[in-house]
């Protein structure tokens, strides 16, 4: 059950202080954001509300069973999103046809946004195949894995398929052991073979074109972002202000066709342009504290269902970081809440005998 022990400041962990630092720094950034309106909205709906969600998870002092039920609700949401996407692909035809493929987008405006959400749930579902998490949950997670994986493939998100999924799969394999790692490598090989028929489509062939297309524009975007950071290294330009600075001052002449970009498509650069150099420090703080806590919990809970939970959450974060190298990583409402959910599920459990 839930402990009745009173909360005190000594209970704050490195993760807690990282979230507090993120909120405080984001609030301070409002004072230097040129466009205060969009910055204040970003602060409220992305940073503050997700941090309050994290605080609720921490203050609730959930036991192991309760944590799994929260994760179950998250997985159910991923399944529902996937079923909507699959129905669009097979029945309604409400998909985005571009670069030689039909891409599902679910309830999102972009297939990439759907992929960013599903790729974070996929590793947690995968632990059901590799760890004992209860017979009923294991069957349900195994069944849920099928539509989520199918829908994720049909987003044709290159960041998800070529970075997030392989990185998360290798992470799960390493945590589970040599045999699971071998199985992971074999499964990734099968996925690569399955994607090969689409290698000739513009969607994938354009990856190697550095003179035009997505890869070219991404390099131009990163160069422009570095120019912006050189002008504002300490403070950045404030929350959600990148668009207005980029399209008016920093877009390079060769990339004028893509003016309406709201973020630099890189997690580290995004934190820097929104919050300054201290934003990068806070991001590193959160990630180091998260993985230290996750690995500690994983090692200490060999006979507990917390072990697969810790493994799945860490693999989910690996997927987010891998895709975040070339796309959005935190500053969207759903991604921020999932980020805080992942962090909150690894909060301390000293008030219950969960690690024995």
């Amino acid at each position: 059950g839930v402990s009745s022990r009173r909360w005190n400041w000594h209970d704050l962990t490195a993760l807690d202080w990282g979230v507090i630092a993120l909120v405080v720094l984001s609030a301070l950034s409002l004072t230097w954001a040129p466009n205060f309106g969009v910055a204040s909205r970003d602060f409220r709906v992305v940073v503050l509300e997700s941090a309050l969600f994290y605080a609720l998870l921490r203050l609730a002092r959930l036991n192991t069973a309760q944590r799994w039920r929260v994760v179950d609700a998250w997985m159910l949401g991923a399944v529902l999103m996937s079923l909507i996407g699959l129905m669009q692909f097979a029945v309604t035809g409400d998909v985005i046809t571009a670069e030689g493929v039909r891409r599902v987008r679910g309830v999102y405006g972009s297939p990439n946004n759907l992929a960013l959400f599903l790729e974070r749930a996929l590793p947690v579902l995968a632990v059901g195949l590799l760890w004992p998490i209860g017979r009923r949950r294991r069957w349900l997670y195994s069944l849920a894995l099928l539509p989520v994986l199918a829908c994720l493939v049909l987003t044709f998100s290159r960041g998800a398929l070529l970075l997030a999924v392989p990185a998360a799969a290798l992470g799960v394999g390493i945590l589970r052991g040599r045999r699971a790692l071998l199985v992971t490598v074999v499964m990734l090989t099968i996925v690569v073979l399955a994607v090969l028929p689409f290698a000739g489509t513009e969607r994938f062939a354009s990856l190697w074109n550095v003179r035009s297309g997505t890869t070219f524009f991404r390099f131009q975007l990163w160069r422009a972002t570095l120019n912006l950071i050189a002008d504002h290294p300490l403070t950045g330009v404030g929350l959600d202000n990148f668009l207005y600075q980029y399209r008016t001052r920093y877009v390079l002449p060769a990339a004028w066709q893509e003016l309406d970009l709201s973020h630099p498509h890189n997690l580290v650069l995004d934190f820097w342009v929104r919050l300054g150099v201290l934003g990068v420090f806070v991001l590193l703080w959160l990630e180091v504290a998260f993985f230290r806590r996750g690995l500690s919990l994983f090692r200490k809970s060999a006979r507990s269902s917390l072990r697969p939970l810790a493994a799945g959450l860490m693999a989910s974060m690996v997927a987010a970081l891998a895709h975040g190298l070339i796309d959005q990583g935190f500053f969207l409402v759903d991604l921020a809440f999932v980020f805080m959910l992942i962090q909150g599920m690894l909060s301390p459990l000293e008030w219950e005998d969960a690690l024995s």
Side-chain angles (χ1 to χ4, degrees):
V2 177
S3 171
S4 60
R5 184 173 66 84
R6 295 187 62 182
W7 182 274
N8 62 71
W9 288 101
H10 298 294
D11 291 319
L12 291 175
T13 66
L15 277 176
D16 299 337
W17 286 114
V19 174
I20 292 171
L22 175 62
V23 173
V24 171
L25 182 59
S26 297
L28 288 175
S29 75
L30 298 178
T31 63
W32 61 71
N35 191 327
F36 177 80
V38 297
S40 60
R41 181 187 181 278
D42 209 42
F43 171 71
R44 177 177 60 84
V45 303
V46 176
V47 178
L48 183 59
E49 292 182 1
S50 66
L52 290 174
F53 177 60
Y54 172 85
L56 289 174
L57 292 172
R58 287 285 283 114
L59 292 170
R61 294 172 174 168
L62 304 174
N63 62 31
T64 306
Q66 291 165 337
R67 289 169 196 243
W68 271 110
R69 284 198 288 272
V70 172
V71 171
D72 291 342
W74 172 24
M75 296 301 105
L76 178 60
V79 171
L80 292 176
M81 287 284 192
S82 300
L83 293 177
I84 291 172
L86 293 174
M87 184 178 67
Q88 289 174 338
F89 186 83
V91 180
T92 68
D94 183 18
V95 297
I96 293 179
T97 302
E99 298 178 304
V101 294
R102 298 173 66 233
R103 307 181 64 196
V104 300
R105 58 187 177 90
V107 300
Y108 293 92
S110 165
N112 289 331
N113 291 102
L114 176 59
L116 286 166
F117 178 75
L118 294 181
E119 73 189 12
R120 286 155 169 77
L122 188 67
V124 182
L125 292 172
V127 302
L129 298 175
L130 299 172
W131 273 277
I133 58 173
R135 185 176 223 178
R136 182 181 179 187
R137 182 175 281 115
R138 189 170 192 174
W139 274 106
L140 291 174
Y141 274 38
S142 299
L143 291 174
L145 186 65
L146 299 176
V148 172
L149 180 58
C151 188
L152 183 59
V153 170
L154 291 175
T155 66
F156 286 99
S157 168
R158 293 170 295 197
L161 298 178
L162 301 180
L163 291 175
V165 172
L170 289 174
V172 170
I174 291 171
L175 290 172
R176 188 63 176 121
R178 185 181 303 174
R179 182 179 298 179
L181 181 58
L182 178 61
V183 172
T184 299
V185 172
V186 172
M187 290 181 63
L188 287 177
T189 303
I190 294 173
V191 170
V192 170
L193 293 175
V195 173
L196 276 180
F198 301 98
T201 63
E202 183 184 353
R203 180 68 187 162
F204 290 96
S206 63
L207 278 173
W208 315 111
N209 188 350
V210 296
R211 296 184 178 182
S212 63
T214 302
T215 301
F216 169 78
F217 284 114
R218 197 59 49 86
F219 283 128
Q220 297 298 309
L221 172 63
W222 290 335
R223 286 180 55 195
T225 302
L226 291 175
N227 291 337
L228 186 155
I229 289 173
D231 290 342
H232 308 275
L234 297 180
T235 63
V237 294
L239 295 171
D240 205 21
N241 270 249
F242 178 81
L243 167 67
Y244 310 99
Q245 296 294 316
Y246 175 72
R247 69 184 181 187
T248 56
R249 295 186 57 190
Y250 291 98
V251 61
L252 298 178
W256 65 268
Q257 296 97 322
E258 292 193 2
L259 294 175
D260 298 324
L261 297 175
S262 60
H263 62 95
H265 287 73
N266 177 274
L267 181 62
V268 175
L269 295 179
D270 201 14
F271 267 78
W272 201 330
V273 298
R274 292 176 193 260
L275 302 174
V277 67
L278 287 180
V280 178
F281 175 75
V282 169
L283 173 64
L284 292 175
W285 179 354
L286 284 166
E287 294 301 336
V288 170
F290 171 81
F291 282 106
R292 287 185 64 183
R293 172 62 186 164
L295 289 171
S296 175
L297 193 63
F298 181 81
R299 294 184 184 120
K300 294 177 181 178
S301 56
R303 291 174 291 173
S304 167
S305 61
L306 281 170
R307 190 178 183 88
L309 180 61
L313 294 174
M314 286 191 289
S316 179
M317 185 65 77
V318 167
L321 292 175
H323 199 164
L325 293 174
I326 62 168
D327 208 330
Q328 183 61 270
F330 176 80
F331 290 98
L332 292 173
V333 175
D334 58 336
L335 300 188
F337 271 80
V338 170
F339 181 90
M340 293 302 181
L341 171 63
I342 293 171
Q343 301 269 7
M345 288 297 98
L346 290 186
S347 58
L349 289 138
E350 287 83 2
W351 48 81
E352 64 172 15
D353 187 22
L355 302 182
S356 59

